[in-house]
Amino acid sequence: MIMQSRMPETLVSEVTHTRPSAVTLADGLYIGAGEPVVLMAGPCAVESYEQTRAVAEVMARLGLKVLRGGAFKPRTSPDSFQGLGEEGLRILRAVADEFGLLVITEALGVEHLPLVADYADIIQIGSRNMQHYPLLWAVGELDKPVLLKRGFMSTVREWLLAAEHIARRGNERILLCERGIRTFETATRNTLDTNAIALVKREAPWPVLGDPSHATGRADLVLPAARAAVAAGADGLLVEVHPRPEEALSDGAQSLPVEALPEFVDHVAGIAAALGRGIT
Ligand code: PEP
Ligand code: MN
């Protein structure tokens, strides 16, 4: 099927993939193509060892495999917490290794990439950087999976072409992540585009994740948005979780308290099961 908005170029992804195809995250852990839904969870920003460990401990108990956390944060205001930098990466790695988890964290710029790649198993490209082409080229040269967030003002076509920039450098371990787009609606932080999840599942060979935290901006809407993403076909979720959301240095209002995680996983697992999928 050819997307109506699509340009005449032949996409690398169309030539090289028999779809749908799963992406290998680690030995024995795959995402996409009917594999279990991968629930990546953790704080928006790494703030301390204790804070990160408190989330990871619960995740490991629940059988989750991928710990998220920002060390270099793209903040709208320069006065907001910018992340712990390398110290944050060290914390993430130490905590993940203790519990046998993988690390996903954002690379904010080309200059940070070698450092981030030293610590991370999966590189996150943030929404604000979706069209940062030198960064896309640089992650395209890496031998690590890359999660490419959709720009909050970007069309699906622009998003898939950004993924092409990565693929053409040779890295086809791409994960697409719909994290909500800006619309006329201001009642929620963004609008989760479940159409895009379903569409991209049909049009692109890569796994798709939903980010119900940034899509809604409200902790009480994260579960219904997560269910909607999985129901639309998402292969994974990226969810913000904090031991004390009211004290979080970033995105506290949308962070699930860690004690809510077991029930959250249970409810999302119900939707996944209805689609014949597991969750991990
Ligand atoms: C994040 O995942 O914390 C983040 C900064 O997300 P986004 O790039 O989608 O705003
Ligand atoms: Mn965040």
Side-chain angles (χ1 to χ4, degrees):
M1 190 188 302
I2 297 297
M3 204 162 90
Q4 265 147 35
S5 57
R6 200 170 255 180
M7 49 289 149
E9 301 97 301
T10 302
L11 302 182
V12 168
S13 46
E14 290 181 325
V15 179
T16 58
H17 277 267
T18 311
R19 53 187 93 167
S21 52
V23 164
T24 302
L25 298 178
D27 278 352
L29 181 62
Y30 309 97
I31 183 169
E35 292 287 335
V37 171
V38 177
L39 177 45
M40 306 182 180
C44 176
V46 176
E47 297 165 7
S48 70
Y49 173 80
E50 171 277 325
Q51 169 237 23
T52 306
R53 191 181 183 283
V55 177
E57 188 177 24
V58 176
M59 288 175 61
R61 215 178 334 117
L62 296 170
L64 305 186
K65 296 282 176 2
V66 186
L67 176 66
R68 67 146 288 149
F72 295 95
K73 295 301 301 175
R75 303 307 302 279
T76 301
S77 167
D79 292 329
S80 300
F81 177 59
Q82 305 292 310
L84 295 179
E86 186 169 5
E87 175 61 10
L89 297 174
R90 271 197 289 269
I91 291 170
L92 271 174
R93 189 72 266 164
V95 168
D97 287 348
E98 179 182 350
F99 294 104
L101 305 175
L102 301 182
V103 165
I104 177 168
T105 194
E106 178 165 354
L108 206 49
V110 177
E111 66 280 22
H112 297 136
L113 191 57
L115 180 68
V116 171
D118 267 353
Y119 289 91
D121 302 293
I122 306 168
I123 309 291
Q124 178 173 326
I125 304 295
S127 186
R128 292 156 188 79
N129 269 332
M130 188 202 84
Q131 289 178 310
H132 182 161
Y133 297 111
L135 185 56
L136 302 181
W137 303 331
V139 295
E141 309 274 346
L142 287 181
D143 183 23
K144 283 186 193 278
V146 176
L147 180 139
L148 179 66
K149 287 202 166 193
R150 179 181 179 184
F152 54 79
M153 298 286 277
S154 298
T155 65
V156 167
R157 179 174 179 274
E158 288 162 345
W159 186 22
L160 295 182
L161 285 174
E164 276 298 300
H165 276 269
I166 300 172
R168 290 203 189 185
R169 294 290 169 128
N171 188 354
E172 295 208 39
R173 285 204 281 165
I174 297 169
L175 317 175
L176 299 165
C177 180
E178 158 61 37
R179 49 78 76 204
I181 53 173
R182 184 169 285 178
T183 68
F184 60 82
E185 183 56 77
T186 55
T188 51
R189 183 176 181 186
N190 291 288
T191 297
L192 178 66
D193 187 358
T194 47
N195 287 358
I197 293 174
L199 178 62
V200 161
K201 286 285 293 177
R202 286 173 171 270
E203 301 292 338
W206 300 299
V208 186
L209 293 88
D211 174 346
S213 308
H214 293 88
T216 62
R218 288 175 50 146
D220 60 342
L221 298 181
V222 169
L223 174 60
R227 288 167 132 163
V230 171
D235 301 298
L237 296 169
L238 189 65
V239 178
E240 291 185 339
V241 181
H242 196 287
R244 288 175 302 280
E246 63 289 351
E247 293 170 21
L249 298 180
S250 70
D251 288 349
Q254 67 194 36
S255 296
L256 292 180
V258 70
E259 62 270 17
L261 195 56
E263 200 182 339
F264 176 85
V265 172
D266 212 44
H267 284 305
V268 174
I271 301 291
L275 298 168
R277 303 182 82 164
I279 185 165
T280 191

